[in-house]
Amino acid sequence: MPERNFVIFTDSDCDMTPEIAKKYGYELISMPYTIDGVEIKPYVDFDKFDYHAFYDRLRGGTIPTTSALSPTEYINYFEPFFKAGKDILYVHFSAAMSATFNAMRLALEELAEKYPERRLYEVDTKGITVPSLAIVMQIGDLIKKGASIEDVLEWAKVNVDKQACYFYADDLKFFHKSGRVSGFAAFFGGLVGIKPIICMDENGVMRTKDKGRGRAATLNKLLDYVIELEDHIKDYPVIVSHCDCVELAEQLADMLKKQFGDDLNILFDVVNPTAGSHCGPNAMGVTFHAKHR
């Protein structure tokens, strides 16, 4: 097979780890978070994400913050490949969710002056964490089979909007702090046991969809969304994601297998710390191939 004339990038906000990136051949951009005044870059400042220690710290009252990369940091990621004569395909988390992509545009304007023949192509997954991971892996499989950038872009036009994600937040204070979710009812925070169910919409924005009272009822509502929207569910991985609540993730997986059969391809995922800074501990959800989002 001839050598590709492009490289593929993704980022840690897509729940991408170095191990998965290596499997598919992705270059990995680290999206930072700041905790107790210290900025940390996942998989740069640590090799393995100790998710239990991180989410326990949040349970103890710490609320991290996140920030955009600078144009210079994007240049440092992209320029070596442009200089080597390669184009870039970047499969990234939702551009609607972060100002970091404004910095990326500035970086690309500067790089275009030095490398006018090179291009960066984008697939916006219109998600973050687990739905983005599902799309990144599917695109990785396509490229391993020889797909071109044009093939991937055509695939994405149809399939990005078929990657549904529904999840719930266990503690609203993290989302209230970040302002990332549209449509929160003010009374949610005052009702004990209420779990807002959140989806990624067709614009790549998190929105409240429903609410459940208690974890058991909320898990059943997540299952109901999968039953209602699934499309050829067994032909694609179903990924259950969590913020340090393994038992609940396994419970939802068991419910899914009881509904669709033991041969359902279920994977487990831990939400990365940068995104986890916004949703907080004990949040969990599911992504699957759907009729629509």
Side-chain angles (χ1 to χ4, degrees):
M1 181 180 297
E3 183 181 0
R4 290 201 314 260
N5 64 348
F6 65 95
V7 294
I8 51 176
F9 268 82
T10 188
D11 53 66
S12 59
D13 269 357
C14 293
D15 282 353
M16 181 60 60
T17 65
E19 291 79 13
I20 303 174
K22 182 178 180 181
K23 175 181 177 182
Y24 292 103
Y26 281 99
E27 299 291 328
L28 181 58
I29 295 175
S30 179
M31 294 296 174
Y33 62 97
T34 297
I35 189 165
D36 293 335
V38 178
E39 184 180 79
I40 300 174
K41 293 184 176 180
Y43 309 114
V44 174
D45 295 324
F46 58 76
D47 295 325
K48 297 282 186 180
F49 176 32
D50 186 347
Y51 68 86
H52 179 65
F54 174 79
Y55 286 114
D56 250 5
R57 200 166 170 182
L58 272 57
R59 290 184 183 101
T62 298
I63 299 182
T65 59
T66 59
S67 57
L69 295 182
S70 69
T72 298
E73 288 172 302
Y74 279 110
I75 289 171
N76 290 339
Y77 277 116
F78 297 149
E79 185 169 21
F81 298 97
F82 282 171
K83 189 175 183 179
K86 300 283 188 180
D87 288 334
I88 292 172
L89 173 63
Y90 180 16
V91 187
H92 57 70
F93 77 100
S94 174
M97 295 184 66
S98 176
T100 198
F101 295 100
N102 295 330
M104 187 181 81
R105 308 287 174 230
L106 293 174
L108 291 172
E109 288 176 9
E110 183 173 334
L111 288 169
E113 295 179 2
K114 295 177 68 175
Y115 309 97
E117 73 283 6
R118 299 273 63 86
R119 285 196 62 186
L120 182 140
Y121 301 84
E122 298 176 59
V123 172
D124 187 336
T125 63
K126 299 183 184 179
I128 193 167
T129 74
V130 64
S132 299
L133 176 64
I135 292 168
V136 168
M137 291 194 300
Q138 290 174 68
I139 288 175
D141 279 330
L142 290 173
I143 291 172
K144 286 174 72 173
K145 294 174 182 176
S148 66
I149 288 178
E150 291 74 19
D151 294 332
V152 170
L153 296 177
E154 285 301 311
W155 178 92
K157 287 178 183 178
V158 174
N159 289 282
V160 164
D161 287 335
K162 288 182 172 290
Q163 193 67 47
C165 178
Y166 288 81
F167 65 100
Y168 74 81
D170 195 67
D171 188 335
L172 293 177
K173 68 183 179 185
F174 296 95
F175 272 130
H176 278 308
K177 177 76 173 179
S178 71
R180 284 294 195 275
V181 176
S182 172
F184 266 137
F187 67 85
F188 272 158
L191 295 179
V192 175
I194 291 294
K195 311 295 181 187
I197 296 173
I198 299 161
C199 70
M200 296 298 311
D201 71 12
E202 65 278 3
N203 298 311
V205 175
M206 289 190 291
R207 298 195 181 279
T208 51
K209 182 73 174 179
D210 199 353
K211 60 182 180 291
R213 184 177 291 276
R215 288 175 176 167
T218 306
L219 290 180
N220 279 317
K221 284 180 176 287
L222 292 181
L223 177 62
D224 287 343
Y225 281 117
V226 180
I227 293 170
E228 175 188 352
L229 294 175
E230 67 89 7
D231 180 44
H232 298 91
I233 194 167
K234 290 190 176 181
D235 294 337
Y236 302 84
V238 176
I239 310 179
V240 176
S241 185
H242 66 92
C243 297
D244 193 27
C245 49
V246 176
E247 291 183 1
L248 284 172
E250 291 175 342
Q251 183 179 341
L252 180 58
D254 288 342
M255 293 165 66
L256 288 163
K257 287 194 172 185
K258 184 176 180 181
Q259 176 67 37
F260 295 106
D262 287 338
D263 58 341
L264 187 66
N265 181 16
I266 294 182
L267 306 176
F268 292 94
D269 170 60
V270 176
V271 173
N272 70 82
T274 311
S277 298
H278 298 293
C279 52
N282 302 324
M284 66 163 298
V286 60
T287 189
F288 55 99
H289 192 263
K291 300 179 183 75
H292 57 80
R293 292 195 169 203

